């Protein structure tokens, strides 16, 4: 590392004011501060000093994503060989997964990095570290077969329209990764929905294999009048199977078990809000329970057991990695609980009432992103009134 540090110091003057690469200082600054701490740390003053700056904070989120990312890569290969009626080895599953996942990451960081660099040069400020998390999230919430050119357009929309137009990292109202997913959902619905996009098929797909996601099976069952739970089980979607994640779906969203590992890491390091994570699950479970009570028959979407909802689709991934975005979520402790309960309840509400949007988590979080400031406002106002009443 000393060699690398010396090399950066040697070329630093070229990127500083008056240097021949002055315009590219944001790129140099991003590299230097990502690898090393600031050269001039504050030693005294009234503000808080902490070794965990925003780049280290973002790195914690990336580490928490690793279990879901690694399992998602494995599952791409696993589903590929399942479609062929074969049993792939551990290495071959990972190799097939890497073949499809790595290009998604390369395109995401190349295109997203271009926009971050462009806005940093225009505004003459350092490159925002928010792209690190957004770049790691986006490939995990899309199908492995997504065309790369569509991903390039979508990530451009997510970075520019959901973040940069608001002023960059820390100023955005909506989660950029979810806005990228929403753009894909509405602009290219054929490539992000339907049974054929979730699995990397081989040449000879066996008849017994189903590439429909559990939510798609539930919707098809409710429209055809079949018992929803029976249909899920007949297609191999038992509670344990969906919890472990050996199913078709978005790359990082399939395994609730892997996501929970990430959730514990975020909570233990203080990076993720346990109030939001827990309240999202509670809100979703209670709404599912309410639908179970009012379900007209076993063929209704209302009849899906409430605990099944928590391991289906992107519910768990959204609760842990999307709803907890420190920029777009509520900031007060009480507000976080209200925000989380509403996200969870709305996700199940959208999923159950509108078959056109079986994955309700994305829309629920984006909607509550818009209302998060209002929640905090009313929480703070109520607290002020309560404290003023003590002064009387």
């Amino acid at each position: 590392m000393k060699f690398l540090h010396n090399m950066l110091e040697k070329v630093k003057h070229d990127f500083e004011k008056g240097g021949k690469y002055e315009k590219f200082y944001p790129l140099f600054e991003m590299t230097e501060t990502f690898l090393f701490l600031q050269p001039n740390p504050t030693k005294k003053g009234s503000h808080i000093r902490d070794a965990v700056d925003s780049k280290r904070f973002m790195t914690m989120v990336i580490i928490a994503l690793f279990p879901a990312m690694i399992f998602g890569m494995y599952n791409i290969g696993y589903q590929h060989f399942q479609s062929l009626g074969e049993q792939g080895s551990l290495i071959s599953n990972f190799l097939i997964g890497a073949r499809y996942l790595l290009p998604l990451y390369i395109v995401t960081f190349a295109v997203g990095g271009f926009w971050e660099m462009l806005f940093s040069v225009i505004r003459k400020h350092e490159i925002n570290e928010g792209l690190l998390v957004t770049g790691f999230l986006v490939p995990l919430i899309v199908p492995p077969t997504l065309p790369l050119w569509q991903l390039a357009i979508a990530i451009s929309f997510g970075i520019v329209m959901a973040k940069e137009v608001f002023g960059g990292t820390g100023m955005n109202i909506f989660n950029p990764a979810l806005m990228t997913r929403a753009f894909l959902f509405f602009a290219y619905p054929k490539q992000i929905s339907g049974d054929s996009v979730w699995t990397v098929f081989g040449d000879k797909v066996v008849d017994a294999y189903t590439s429909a996601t559990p939510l798609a099976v539930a919707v098809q069952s409710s429209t055809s009048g079949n018992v929803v739970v029976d249909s899920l089980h007949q297609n191999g979607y038992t509670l344990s199977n969906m919890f472990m994640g050996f199913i078709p779906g978005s790359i990082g969203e399939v395994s609730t078990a892997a996501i929970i590992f990430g959730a514990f890491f975020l909570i233990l390091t203080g990076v993720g809000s346990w109030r939001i994570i827990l309240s999202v699950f509670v809100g979703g479970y209670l709404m599912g329970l309410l639908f179970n009570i009012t379900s007209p028959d076993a063929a209704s979407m209302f009849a899906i057991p409430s605990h099944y909802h928590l391991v289906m689709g992107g519910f768990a991934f959204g609760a842990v990695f999307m709803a907890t975005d420190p920029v777009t979520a509520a900031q007060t402790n009480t507000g976080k609980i209200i925000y989380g309960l509403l996200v969870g309840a709305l996700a199940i509400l959208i999923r159950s009432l509108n078959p056109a949007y079986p994955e309700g988590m994305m829309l629920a979080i984006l909607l509550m992103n818009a209302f998060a400031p209002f929640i905090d406002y009313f929480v703070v106002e109520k607290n002020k009134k309560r404290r003023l009443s003590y002064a009387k």
Side-chain angles (χ1 to χ4, degrees):
M1 293 301 285
K2 187 176 181 181
F3 165 76
L4 189 58
H5 184 263
N6 290 338
M7 191 172 70
L8 289 173
E9 286 296 316
K10 190 175 180 180
V11 299
K12 188 173 185 177
H13 67 279
D14 289 332
F15 293 90
E16 292 178 331
K17 190 173 183 179
K20 55 184 177 181
Y21 302 127
E22 179 184 352
K23 287 186 177 180
F24 299 104
Y25 179 76
L27 183 61
F28 176 85
E29 192 276 343
M30 178 194 71
T31 306
E32 184 184 37
T33 56
F34 181 75
L35 295 173
F36 303 100
L37 293 176
Q38 292 286 350
N40 302 309
T42 303
K43 296 179 179 178
K44 60 182 180 180
S46 57
H47 57 276
I48 299 173
R49 299 187 299 277
D50 196 324
V52 182
D53 59 9
S54 56
K55 284 187 174 63
R56 257 45 66 174
F57 187 91
M58 299 292 184
T59 304
M60 297 290 185
V61 180
I62 295 169
I63 293 173
L65 282 167
F66 276 152
M69 184 194 306
I70 292 171
F71 184 87
M73 186 187 298
Y74 170 83
N75 190 50
I76 294 173
Y78 178 80
Q79 294 300 324
H80 168 78
F81 287 108
Q82 285 288 301
S83 72
L84 296 173
E86 301 174 4
Q87 191 70 36
S89 66
L90 180 69
I91 294 177
S92 58
N93 286 341
F94 273 115
L95 287 177
I96 293 288
R99 178 182 165 190
Y100 285 85
L101 182 58
L102 292 181
L104 295 177
Y105 272 116
I106 291 171
V107 169
T108 299
F109 278 105
V111 177
F114 166 77
W115 289 113
E116 288 282 0
M117 179 72 185
L118 180 64
F119 277 90
S120 296
V121 170
I122 292 173
R123 291 173 175 158
K124 298 181 179 179
H125 64 52
E126 62 186 52
I127 293 179
N128 299 141
E129 49 277 332
L131 176 64
L132 278 175
V133 174
T134 302
F136 272 93
L137 282 172
V138 169
L140 299 182
I141 57 176
V142 298
T145 58
L146 182 72
L148 297 179
W149 66 270
Q150 292 182 5
L151 178 63
I153 296 175
I155 192 67
S156 297
F157 179 85
I159 295 295
V160 176
M161 301 305 295
K163 189 171 73 172
E164 296 301 342
V165 296
F166 292 100
T169 299
M171 306 297 288
N172 50 298
I173 299 173
F174 300 102
N175 186 307
L178 278 181
M179 287 296 285
T180 301
R181 165 80 177 257
F183 179 88
L184 286 168
F185 185 82
F186 291 107
Y188 308 107
K190 186 178 178 182
Q191 280 76 27
I192 200 168
S193 59
D195 297 348
S196 62
V197 302
W198 308 109
T199 302
V200 179
F201 294 114
D203 295 332
K204 298 178 181 178
V205 180
V206 296
D207 293 336
Y209 180 77
T210 176
S211 58
T213 63
L215 282 171
V217 170
V219 172
Q220 291 166 7
S221 175
S222 64
T223 54
S224 59
N226 297 321
V227 177
V228 174
V229 176
D230 289 349
S231 296
L232 286 171
H233 290 176
Q234 288 166 7
N235 285 277
Y237 297 135
T238 61
L239 181 63
S240 61
N241 207 17
M242 291 189 289
F243 178 77
M244 295 306 298
F246 297 103
I247 57 176
S250 294
I251 298 169
E253 296 179 348
V254 290
S255 175
T256 305
I259 293 167
I260 287 177
F261 275 113
F264 278 122
F265 181 80
L266 290 179
I267 292 171
L268 290 174
T269 55
V271 172
S273 168
W274 66 266
R275 291 180 176 84
I276 293 178
I277 296 172
L278 182 62
S279 57
V280 170
F281 278 101
V282 171
Y285 182 81
L286 292 178
M287 181 57 76
L289 206 59
L290 178 64
F291 282 148
N292 290 167
I293 296 170
T294 59
S295 176
D297 54 57
S300 169
M301 284 290 286
F302 287 13
I304 298 176
S306 55
H307 54 287
Y308 274 45
H309 279 295
L310 308 185
V311 297
M312 294 171 72
F315 189 92
F317 193 89
V320 174
F321 295 110
M322 296 296 189
T324 54
D325 181 354
V327 177
T328 57
Q331 304 298 311
T332 59
N333 287 341
T334 304
K336 288 176 181 176
I337 294 173
I338 297 170
Y339 168 85
L341 287 171
L342 290 174
V343 166
L346 279 172
I348 305 305
L349 184 72
I350 296 169
R351 175 184 290 182
S352 301
L353 290 181
N354 193 340
Y357 302 103
E359 183 47 80
M361 198 60 176
M362 171 186 72
L363 298 177
I365 295 175
L366 288 175
L367 181 63
M368 290 313 303
N369 283 169
F371 284 97
F374 293 101
I375 295 173
D376 281 334
Y377 172 79
F378 287 112
V379 170
V380 171
E381 285 298 307
K382 185 178 180 181
N383 192 41
K384 285 166 63 178
K385 289 179 181 177
R386 180 177 60 82
R387 297 183 68 175
L388 285 172
S389 67
Y390 294 154
K392 292 180 180 177

